[in-house]
C-alpha cells in the first residue's frame, strides 16, 4: 500500500486520509492504517505521527530514525525541516554514541566545509535539537535509486574517523 493520505503542497503538515482509509496510533505513536476496501486492517508502520482524528494526522518522522539524547527522544526529520532553509547542500541529522547522553546529535553535510557554526543552528533549534558537532563529507553514500542512505553514510563516517 503506497497511497493512503494526501497533504497540500506548501506549509501544510496535515495529511488527510483517502476515502475509506482511517488511522490509529500504537503506544509508540506510530501510524496504524485501516483500509478495509483493499483488505488492509491494522497495518502498523514506523511513521511517528500526531493523530488529529481518525482521518487526519501530522507526520513527525520515522521511528527507526529517532535518537535518544539525554533522555529526550528527538526526530531528525523535524530538525532537518527547521534547518532546510539554512543549508543549501544535502544534509541530515544523525548521532554518535555518547557515554553520558546515550547519543550525541551530529549534523552531516555533503560538500566542502563552510563557515557554518553550531551557534548559527542554535538560533533555530531547542537545546535538545542542536547538534553537538558538524561534519562535512565529500559525498554521501547512496541507494540504488540515487537517494542518500543515512545508515550507510553514518557507518562509513564512523569507520573512517
Amino acid at each position: 500500500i503506497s497511497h493512503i493520505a494526501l497533504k497540500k503542497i506548501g506549509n501544510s503538515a496535515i495529511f488527510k486520509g483517502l476515502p475509506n482509509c482511517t488511522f490509529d496510533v500504537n503506544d509508540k505513536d506510530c501510524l496504524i492504517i485501516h483500509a478495509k476496501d483493499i483488505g488492509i486492517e491494522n497495518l502498523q508502520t514506523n511513521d511517528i505521527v500526531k493523530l488529529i482524528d481518525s482521518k487526519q494526522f501530522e507526520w513527525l518522522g520515522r521511528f527507526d530514525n529517532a535518537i535518544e539524547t539525554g533522555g529526550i527522544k528527538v526526530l531528525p526529520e523535524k530538525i532537518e525541516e527547521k534547518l532546510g532553509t539554512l543549508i543549501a547542500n544535502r544534509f541530515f541529522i544523525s548521532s554518535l554514541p555518547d557515554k553520558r547522553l546515550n547519543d550525541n546529535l551530529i549534523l552531516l553535510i555533503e560538500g566542502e566545509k563552510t563557515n557554518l557554526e553550531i551557534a548559527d543552528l542554535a538560533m533555530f533549534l531547542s537545546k535538545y535539537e542542536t547538534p553537538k558537532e558538524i561534519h562535512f563529507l565529500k559525498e554521501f553514500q547512496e541507494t540504488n535509486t540515487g537517494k542518500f542512505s543515512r545508515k550507510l553514510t553514518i557507518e562509513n563516517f564512523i569507520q573512517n574517523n
Side-chain angles (χ1 to χ4, degrees):
I1 184 168
S2 63
H3 293 70
I4 50 94
L6 300 172
K7 76 175 189 112
K8 289 184 178 182
I9 295 175
N11 294 335
S12 176
I14 307 300
F15 282 85
K16 295 183 185 213
L18 293 177
N20 302 316
C21 285
T22 59
F23 312 107
D24 286 312
V25 293
N26 64 17
D27 59 342
K28 297 176 183 171
D29 292 324
C30 290
L31 185 68
I32 301 171
I33 301 169
H34 310 285
K36 293 179 185 173
D37 288 358
I38 56 173
I40 303 296
E41 187 63 34
N42 297 319
L43 177 65
Q44 303 253 343
T45 72
N46 277 342
D47 294 300
I48 298 174
V49 302
K50 176 182 173 188
L51 195 64
I52 296 167
D53 58 36
S54 66
K55 295 287 292 173
Q56 300 179 89
F57 61 87
E58 178 183 357
W59 185 80
L60 302 175
R62 297 276 302 161
F63 183 79
D64 31 346
N65 290 342
I67 299 168
E68 188 170 322
T69 180
I72 304 294
K73 180 170 50 171
V74 296
L75 299 172
E77 295 91 345
K78 294 309 273 185
I79 300 169
E80 292 161 4
E81 185 179 311
K82 292 178 181 181
L83 297 177
T85 58
L86 293 175
I87 304 169
N89 295 11
R90 294 196 302 183
F91 72 94
F92 67 96
I93 295 291
S94 190
S95 65
L96 294 174
D98 183 83
K99 290 179 183 174
R100 190 173 61 86
L101 297 174
N102 191 35
D103 280 313
N104 248 349
L105 288 184
I106 63 168
L107 171 62
L108 297 167
I109 302 174
E110 186 178 50
E112 296 296 318
K113 184 174 174 140
T114 68
N115 59 358
L116 183 67
E117 300 283 335
I118 291 173
D120 300 326
L121 307 175
M123 296 184 328
F124 299 94
L125 305 171
S126 75
K127 72 177 186 175
Y128 298 108
E129 296 172 323
T130 303
K132 302 293 185 232
E133 303 170 13
I134 301 173
H135 297 278
F136 292 85
L137 306 178
K138 182 178 178 181
E139 60 186 12
F140 289 167
Q141 302 295 307
E142 294 186 349
T143 65
N144 293 337
T145 60
K147 295 180 181 177
F148 72 82
S149 169
R150 290 174 188 265
K151 182 177 188 265
L152 293 176
T153 300
I154 194 69
E155 285 173 358
N156 190 51
F157 173 76
I158 291 170
Q159 185 178 31
N160 292 314
N161 289 295

